[in-house]
Amino acid sequence: MKTEELVDLLATGAEAVAPNAVRRRYALALVASVPVAIALMATWLGVRPDLNEAAVEPMFWGKVAFVALLSGAGLMAVARLSRPGASLAVLPGLLAAPVLAMWLAAAAALAGAAPGERMELFLGISSDECALNIAVLSLPVFVAALWAMKGLAPTRLRLAGAGAGLLAGAVAALVYTLHCPESDAPFIGTWYVLGILIPVAAGALLGPRLLRW
Amino acid sequence: MKKAEARLRDLLVGGLGGDAAAYRGFLKDLSAHLRAFLRRRLARLPDEVEDLVQETLLAVHNQRHTYDPGQPLTAWLHAIARYKLVDLLRRRARDDALNDPLDDALELFVASDEDAADARRDLAKLLAELPERQRMPIVHMKLEGLSVSETARRTGQSESAVKVAVHRGLKALARKIRGAV
């Protein structure tokens, strides 16, 4: 087939394309997967029984804001990485700001604590399971985000996979705040970040293999 | 160069809105730009140029829903062309043939080359390998120029099934080119 004939073939009968494909696809992916993550958290881990009391503490909302901002950064990342040639310049700042803020809060909390209590601020009561729980909860959104990306056009596959992992990890962490009893900044800044990094690493590993087009 | 960007962008935006004539003009101009762009970068693999022009055109078509009219068209096209170029070179595991693929996006519109060599890979043959339910809608709609409703009548599929079959068939064709199927 000559290139001219291919051009004819592609152009003939080409219909209008619905706009905002990227936004629609990720909206669909999240609508389908976030309820699954919430149901998984509720049945497997359970909503913390003292949620109502916790919801008046500033640090609870600090934790929620932290992972909500990272979820927003994740959404921005996958949207940009799904579109050839889109600028990624805003992403490092969007990611670094909440993490640095949490680490500053952690440094302040550690500085204000007695030396014997510092380890406790780091480990809380659930440091052995927190990161892994977040990683498991990230699975539904991870699969959905990769599906969405697969139907778009990522050109930097390793980064794109990592972006899908970031979105999945951050949303999972957001869901996990409904279960997690911890509220100390050193804990959140360590174990939440690690939990999010697990799907990020998985995405970076799988991206080049799964996302080719 | 700026003019090429503006003109091609208008044609593509028209095409995305359903204007098939504008879309044809876009693809035609784009193929000439791609040819010049890839010819310079595949100086040591001249036989690959036309195949890659076709593969990139198909990729642009299949992924056209990811173009945001607010985004520079050059950046979008260049990212796709570069992705397909790097993919080809990886496939061949011949990275030494690479002259300089990671250059400035603006270069895509610097030159245009209307002189098409013959493609080595015959897309018509790959098309013939597609399953019937995808191939027939493509033959009727895209080669014979029949309408969606006429194609639906001939294939016994619903109109939406025809559209889906064409879409999936062209994606399957792109996969066949990559050797993934």
Side-chain angles (χ1 to χ4, degrees):
Chain A
M1 187 183 287
K2 288 187 186 306
T3 301
E4 262 174 57
E5 295 170 306
L6 175 65
V7 165
D8 274 338
L9 181 151
L10 295 178
T12 301
E15 298 204 329
V17 173
N20 301 322
V22 174
R23 203 178 309 165
R24 274 183 295 116
R25 215 165 155 90
Y26 282 109
L28 185 60
L30 287 177
V31 164
S33 63
V34 172
V36 178
I38 292 173
L40 183 61
M41 180 278 300
T43 52
W44 170 47
L45 301 168
V47 176
R48 63 188 285 186
D50 59 345
L51 185 62
N52 283 337
E53 294 98 82
V56 296
E57 289 171 31
M59 199 48 218
F60 175 81
W61 292 106
K63 178 170 73 167
V64 169
F66 172 63
V67 286
L69 286 172
L70 286 180
S71 302
L75 207 49
M76 175 79 94
V78 292
R80 295 284 169 102
L81 285 162
S82 299
R83 184 176 280 147
S87 166
L88 305 176
V90 293
L91 294 178
L94 276 182
L95 274 175
V99 174
L100 287 179
M102 186 53 78
W103 285 354
L104 275 176
L110 290 172
E117 292 169 358
R118 285 178 186 157
M119 211 53 193
E120 207 175 301
L121 291 179
F122 260 120
L123 298 179
I125 54 168
S126 59
S127 65
D128 54 338
E129 56 180 67
C130 171
L132 207 58
N133 287 348
I134 290 175
V136 171
L137 288 178
S138 77
L139 274 173
V141 181
F142 188 61
V143 171
L146 286 175
W147 165 83
M149 210 166 240
K150 183 82 187 154
L152 298 163
T155 54
R156 305 168 72 173
L157 305 186
R158 204 169 284 287
L159 264 184
L166 170 67
L167 175 66
V171 170
L174 188 56
V175 170
Y176 188 62
T177 58
L178 295 175
H179 163 80
C180 171
E182 313 284 352
S183 60
D184 293 314
F187 183 96
I188 309 297
T190 308
W191 303 105
Y192 272 54
V193 171
L194 264 181
I196 293 169
L197 283 177
I198 293 172
V200 168
L205 280 177
L206 293 172
R209 212 165 311 161
L210 294 182
L211 295 171
R212 274 187 72 204
W213 50 279
Chain B
M1 210 161 70
K2 278 243 169 67
K3 256 165 62 191
E5 155 91 29
R7 191 169 42 85
L8 278 183
R9 188 188 161 281
D10 286 348
L11 289 173
L12 173 59
V13 170
L16 292 175
D19 178 348
Y23 190 54
R24 184 186 311 267
F26 164 76
L27 290 175
K28 195 163 171 294
D29 276 22
L30 175 60
S31 56
H33 285 297
L34 283 173
R35 189 171 298 121
F37 178 81
L38 294 172
R39 216 165 246 175
R40 268 178 289 137
R41 278 151 195 87
L42 288 170
R44 283 186 239 172
L45 297 168
D47 292 349
E48 298 278 1
V49 171
E50 207 56 30
D51 282 351
L52 194 55
V53 168
Q54 295 190 355
E55 187 181 352
T56 308
L57 283 174
L58 187 58
V60 164
H61 176 78
N62 281 341
Q63 267 69 31
R64 67 194 187 284
H65 58 299
T66 65
Y67 177 65
D68 172 359
Q71 177 191 7
L73 177 61
T74 345
W76 184 74
L77 288 173
H78 184 267
I80 295 176
R82 192 179 56 181
Y83 174 73
K84 283 296 168 188
L85 175 63
V86 171
D87 195 56
L88 168 79
L89 294 173
R90 253 190 220 136
R91 235 151 47 198
R92 293 183 55 108
R94 285 265 302 268
D95 288 345
D96 59 329
L98 187 61
N99 277 338
D100 178 24
L102 307 173
D103 49 2
D104 190 30
L106 292 171
E107 275 192 51
L108 182 57
F109 290 154
V110 169
S112 169
D113 191 338
E114 307 275 356
D115 179 22
D118 282 340
R120 290 191 311 173
R121 178 203 309 119
D122 190 357
L123 287 184
K125 270 191 198 141
L126 289 181
L127 200 55
E129 292 173 14
L130 291 181
E132 192 88 339
R133 64 177 192 289
Q134 289 175 347
R135 188 169 57 86
M136 288 323 287
I138 292 178
V139 167
H140 289 319
M141 263 191 76
K142 308 292 261 175
L143 293 174
E144 297 169 0
L146 298 184
S147 66
V148 177
S149 56
E150 184 64 22
T151 304
R153 194 153 44 232
R154 299 238 181 143
T155 59
Q157 292 166 316
S158 70
E159 293 195 11
S160 58
V162 163
K163 289 184 196 172
V164 169
V166 169
H167 177 73
R168 294 217 174 125
L170 291 178
K171 288 214 151 183
L173 192 61
R175 275 198 301 277
K176 279 189 182 295
I177 289 178
R178 291 196 344 240
V181 176

